């Protein structure tokens, strides 16, 4: 009986299509190797076992609204969507990220297609399962693994790496992206196009592929942009095409794989001819981020001398490549290091903030950076708190107007450690130069501390001097004059 297609249209028309005919089992046994037969039989048996469950899920949860949701989500993971979306990353000059993402998406089509041809397992039987799709051509191929799942997971893992480790985007946005991915994956089951084992296979293949590109794409990109880049690309393309398993059925997976890898071959040639000759300009952003990753690796070195050397190279890198994305990433990495490093390194990190003040205004994740510093400021180590205060003072340009920073400085005046009080006073003076309104919050605390007989005279002088910013405020100026007369 032919499979049962139901397109999610307004009039909900039911269509019949020719079945994707599988060769008889005897043909597989005559042609396939024992290992290939064994793996195929495992998947086929699991698909048959899951078929009643899939039909039961559809019977229980199907609704017009969910039909439209999952058909739409499936469109976010098909070839047409990526054909439209991927060029935008190249158009907006995202360099190595755009090339890496394109490779991840297109090679996931190759890997999933090759496994489909090798396993040669059918999709869930229809009927009893209703296959809900706008493109019945999807069913004219094998089922394991799910290609939609493979490149949805691969794409999301790869982008998540950049969002969390390079761009330092909030985890909320990363979570929303994963929710969209989960919708695509769940839709393959809801729409009756794949079984659970198909989806699990796609998740595993997509995750492994994405992690491989995360860790090794820099080397691949360097080869691709080298003089011999096209030769390497042609060799990889030839090896990939010649390695596609032959299947007994007319599955179009090999055609998809050929088309996808052909695009990567063209991208390699184009990148070598356009990016490589302009390495001093077009590739500067990519090179700068690679240098940033190298500095971060040196900062994690067990050798203190290498760590100090790496931290000292940050201002040079920022002066040479003052890109907003690079600046934000660099300072957030420094914030992470400041939070987890010993005080000896924290001192040098605070110095970097002072030496690179001209770049602070380009930081886009200021609140995230401040959170990393406040972790140290609320620690039990008074020296660590002093260093955190000095860093905040050096970065007053971006922290001065944050109530969290102002409140944390006020708390430091209650300390019994003289160095901490001095650091709090110096930070207050620096903050007031960028946010005079801070005086309305801090002046009572400063006057109270200046009246404390236990405070050193040198500290008292600094406390008085910090209130020179009271001049614009008449009431506070009067109070300041009254205090001086006492």
């Amino acid at each position: 009986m032919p499979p049962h297609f139901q397109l999610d249209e307004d009039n909900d028309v039911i269509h019949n299509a020719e079945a994707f005919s599988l060769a008889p089992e005897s043909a597989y046994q005559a042609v396939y190797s024992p290992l290939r037969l064994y793996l195929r039989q495992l998947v086929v048996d699991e698909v048959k076992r899951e078929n009643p469950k899939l039909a039961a899920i559809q019977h229980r949860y199907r609704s017009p609204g969910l039909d439209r949701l999952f058909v739409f989500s499936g469109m976010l993971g098909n070839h047409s969507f990526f054909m439209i979306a991927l060029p935008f990353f190249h158009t907006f000059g995202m360099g190595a990220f755009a090339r890496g993402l394109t490779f991840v998406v297109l090679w996931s089509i190759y890997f999933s297609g090759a496994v489909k041809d090798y396993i040669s397992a059918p999709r869930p039987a229809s009927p009893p399962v209703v296959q809900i799709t706008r493109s019945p051509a999807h069913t004219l191929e094998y089922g394991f693994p799910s290609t939609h799942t493979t490149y949805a997971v691969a794409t999301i893992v790869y982008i998540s790496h950049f969002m969390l480790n390079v761009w330092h985007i909030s985890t909320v946005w990363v979570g929303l992206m994963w929710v969209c991915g989960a919708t695509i994956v769940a839709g393959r089951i809801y729409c009756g196009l794949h079984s659970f084992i198909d989806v699990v296979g796609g998740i595993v293949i997509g995750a492994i592929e994405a992690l491989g590109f995360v860790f090794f794409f820099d080397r691949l990109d360097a080869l691709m942009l080298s003089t011999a880049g096209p030769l390497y690309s042609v060799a990889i393309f030839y090896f990939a095409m010649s390695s596609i398993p032959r299947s007994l059925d007319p599955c179009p997976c090999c055609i998809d794989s050929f088309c996808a890898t052909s695009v990567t071959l063209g991208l390699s040639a184009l990148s070598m001819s356009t990016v490589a000759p302009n390495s001093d300009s077009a590739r500067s952003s990519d090179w700068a981020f690679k240098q940033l990753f190298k500095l971060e690796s040196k900062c994690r070195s067990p050798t203190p001398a290498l760590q100090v050397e790496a931290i000292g190279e940050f201002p040079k890198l920022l002066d040479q490549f003052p890109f907003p994305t690079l600046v934000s990433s660099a300072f957030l990495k420094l914030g992470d290091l400041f939070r987890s490093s010993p005080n000896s390194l924290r001192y040098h990190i605070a110095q970097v903030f002072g030496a690179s003040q001209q770049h602070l205004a380009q930081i886009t994740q200021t609140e995230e950076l401040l959170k990393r510093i406040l972790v140290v400021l609320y620690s039990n180590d008074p020296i660590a708190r002093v260093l955190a205060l000095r860093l905040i003072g050096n970065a007053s340009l971006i922290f001065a107007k944050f109530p969290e920073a102002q409140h944390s400085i006020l708390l430091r005046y209650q300390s019994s450690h003289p160095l901490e009080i001095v650091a709090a006073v110096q930070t207050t003076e620096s903050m007031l130069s960028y946010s005079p309104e801070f005086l309305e919050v801090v002046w009572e605390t400063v006057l109270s501390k200046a009246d404390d007989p236990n405070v050193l005279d040198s500290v008292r002088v600094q406390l008085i001097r910090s209130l020179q910013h009271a001049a614009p405020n008449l009431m506070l100026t009067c109070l300041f004059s009254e205090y001086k007369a006492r």
Side-chain angles (χ1 to χ4, degrees):
M1 186 174 181
H4 187 186
F5 296 109
Q6 186 167 346
L7 305 191
D8 182 33
E9 300 174 348
D10 293 336
N11 56 0
D12 210 25
V13 180
I14 296 176
H15 299 262
N16 287 329
E18 292 296 326
F20 173 48
S21 58
L22 295 172
E25 289 297 323
S26 58
Y28 295 109
Q29 294 173 2
V31 176
Y32 286 5
S33 66
L35 175 61
R36 191 173 179 183
L37 279 173
Y38 174 74
L39 295 176
R40 179 182 183 276
Q41 195 59 48
L42 285 179
V43 177
V44 170
D45 291 343
E46 182 62 23
V47 171
K48 291 179 179 178
R49 190 180 67 83
E50 293 177 5
N51 215 57
K53 297 181 181 179
L54 299 177
I57 289 174
Q58 286 189 331
H59 178 74
R60 180 174 181 179
Y61 295 107
R62 273 204 69 187
S63 68
L66 288 179
D67 283 3
R68 289 179 172 83
L69 170 65
F70 287 120
V71 168
F72 175 76
S73 68
M75 294 169 62
L76 296 178
N78 61 18
H79 303 3
S80 300
F81 172 77
F82 285 114
M83 184 177 65
I84 296 172
L86 287 175
F88 281 97
F89 295 101
H90 296 271
T91 302
F92 293 122
M94 301 192 74
F97 168 76
R99 293 192 294 276
L101 181 62
T102 304
F103 270 65
V104 166
V105 172
L106 297 178
W107 279 98
S108 63
I109 296 174
Y110 170 82
F111 290 128
S112 62
V115 176
K116 278 186 177 182
D117 282 338
Y118 185 83
I119 300 296
S120 305
R123 291 175 181 262
S126 174
V129 174
V130 178
Q131 296 178 331
I132 310 167
T133 176
R134 288 188 180 275
S135 177
H138 283 310
T139 62
L140 302 180
E141 60 182 35
Y142 298 119
F144 179 90
S146 166
T147 301
H148 275 70
T149 302
T150 302
Y151 51 54
V153 170
T155 301
I156 292 174
V157 170
Y158 190 77
I159 296 177
S160 296
H161 162 70
F162 277 83
M163 293 177 73
L164 295 174
N165 300 316
V166 179
W167 305 326
H168 296 280
I169 294 176
S170 171
T171 53
V172 174
W173 295 105
V174 179
L176 288 175
M177 185 174 62
W178 276 98
V179 170
C180 292
T183 305
I184 295 173
V185 173
R188 310 318 291 165
I189 295 174
Y190 175 90
C191 293
L193 298 171
H194 286 285
S195 59
F196 288 100
I197 192 172
D198 298 342
V199 167
V200 172
I203 292 174
V204 172
I205 295 173
I208 293 174
E209 181 212 353
L211 292 175
F213 275 100
V214 165
F215 289 110
F216 299 109
F217 183 71
D218 280 349
R219 300 177 185 177
L220 177 63
D221 197 37
L223 286 176
M224 186 171 64
L225 297 178
S226 66
T227 304
L231 296 179
Y232 290 119
S233 301
V234 170
I236 294 172
F237 176 79
Y238 177 80
F239 176 78
M241 289 297 98
S242 61
S243 301
I244 294 179
R246 296 288 299 272
S247 62
L248 291 181
D249 307 290
C251 179
C253 298
C254 60
I255 299 175
D256 292 340
S257 299
F258 175 81
C259 294
T261 49
S262 296
V263 174
T264 64
L265 182 63
L267 176 61
S268 301
L270 182 65
S271 298
M272 196 282 293
S273 62
T274 59
V275 178
N278 300 288
S279 57
D280 292 337
S281 56
R283 292 182 60 196
S284 58
S285 177
D286 296 343
W287 187 89
F289 272 103
K290 291 177 182 178
Q291 292 301 111
L292 178 60
F293 294 148
K294 291 180 181 178
L295 290 182
E296 184 183 17
S297 298
K298 289 177 65 176
C299 289
R300 305 291 184 185
S301 168
T303 306
L306 284 178
Q307 293 176 319
V308 173
E309 179 185 350
I311 293 172
E313 291 177 5
F314 271 84
K316 299 177 184 178
L317 180 65
L318 296 177
D319 289 341
Q320 188 176 2
F321 302 102
F323 309 135
T325 53
L326 179 75
V327 170
S328 294
S329 296
F331 278 110
L332 286 171
K333 290 182 186 299
L334 288 172
D336 288 329
L337 287 170
F338 189 83
R339 179 173 54 185
S340 59
S341 298
N343 291 335
S344 57
L345 291 182
R346 286 173 177 156
Y347 169 79
H348 294 283
I349 294 172
Q351 294 296 102
V352 170
F353 276 77
S356 303
Q357 290 186 358
Q358 68 273 25
H359 302 299
L360 293 175
Q362 298 184 68
I363 299 176
T364 56
Q365 300 288 326
T366 308
E367 188 172 357
E368 291 296 322
L369 176 60
L370 179 60
K371 289 178 182 178
R372 291 159 168 76
I373 310 305
L374 292 182
V375 170
V376 180
L377 189 56
Y378 286 111
S379 67
N380 295 324
D381 183 356
I383 301 302
R385 296 197 297 266
V386 169
L387 293 172
L389 285 169
R390 293 193 182 280
L391 190 152
I392 292 176
N394 289 339
S396 295
L397 172 65
I398 56 174
F399 292 150
K401 297 184 181 298
F402 279 88
E404 300 92 335
Q406 297 176 0
H407 177 69
S408 63
I409 294 172
L410 288 180
L411 293 179
R412 296 308 107 205
Y413 281 97
Q414 301 173 11
S415 173
S416 59
H417 198 287
L419 286 179
E420 192 169 356
I421 297 175
V422 171
V425 173
Q426 293 174 344
T427 303
T428 298
E429 190 169 0
S430 179
M431 295 271 282
L432 287 171
S433 63
Y434 293 103
S435 178
E437 298 82 3
F438 179 40
L439 185 63
E440 299 178 11
V441 179
V442 76
W443 72 273
E444 287 186 350
T445 303
V446 172
L447 291 179
S448 175
K449 200 66 180 178
D451 273 337
D452 189 346
N454 297 322
V455 174
L456 297 175
D457 290 340
S458 58
V459 177
R460 186 175 286 106
V461 170
Q462 285 186 310
L463 286 165
I464 299 296
R465 189 175 60 191
S466 69
L467 290 178
Q468 63 183 329
H469 297 277
N473 189 309
L474 181 60
M475 181 186 70
L476 293 178
T477 302
C478 293
L479 289 172
F480 178 44
S481 300
E482 179 184 347
Y483 176 80
K484 287 176 63 178
R486 283 190 292 168

